[in-house]
Amino acid sequence: MKKTFSFSATVGVYPGPIAWAVVALPKKDSSEIAAIKTAQKKSWNFFTAKTKIGSTSWISSLWPKRKIGLYLIVIKKEVLRKEGIAMGDTVHVTLSF
């Protein structure tokens, strides 16, 4: 059964030496995804989803951020460039499993 989630989020920076661009899934979606994806988790509790922003789709890893109870999605530099996205922009994201 295919499951799809759509939401809008602000692009932020994940702190660290690489400074990845990320968006956080809403808490409600994060809770639902955690419940249905438990069996598919990979190392470090990551798992993948087809992700789409604008007209660009790719397979991304969802990172659990346990302290805040959310999942983060890293946005590839190629996607930022293709879609003209800058830090602080609000983007519409669609995930499908």
Side-chain angles (χ1 to χ4, degrees):
M1 180 168 97
K2 186 175 179 180
K3 184 74 175 172
T4 301
F5 295 86
S6 293
F7 60 94
S8 293
T10 302
V11 178
V13 177
Y14 188 82
I18 298 176
W20 287 311
V22 296
V23 291
L25 277 76
K27 191 157 190 97
K28 179 180 180 276
D29 292 344
S30 290
S31 296
E32 187 175 347
I33 289 168
I36 62 176
K37 298 303 283 183
T38 299
Q40 295 180 18
K41 288 181 183 177
K42 309 269 187 221
S43 61
W44 297 341
N45 292 323
F46 290 54
F47 55 86
T48 59
K50 182 177 179 185
T51 306
K52 183 175 181 183
I53 296 177
S55 62
T56 306
S57 296
W58 74 102
I59 301 298
S60 62
S61 293
L62 277 68
W63 298 3
K65 192 68 174 157
R66 288 184 192 90
K67 289 181 182 178
I68 57 175
L70 301 175
Y71 281 96
L72 302 178
I73 301 169
V74 174
I75 304 174
K76 295 179 176 186
K77 287 183 182 182
E78 177 184 349
V79 176
L80 296 172
R81 184 184 47 76
K82 280 184 178 178
E83 296 295 331
I85 299 168
M87 298 299 171
D89 287 353
T90 298
V91 294
H92 184 77
V93 181
T94 303
L95 294 177
S96 55
F97 304 96

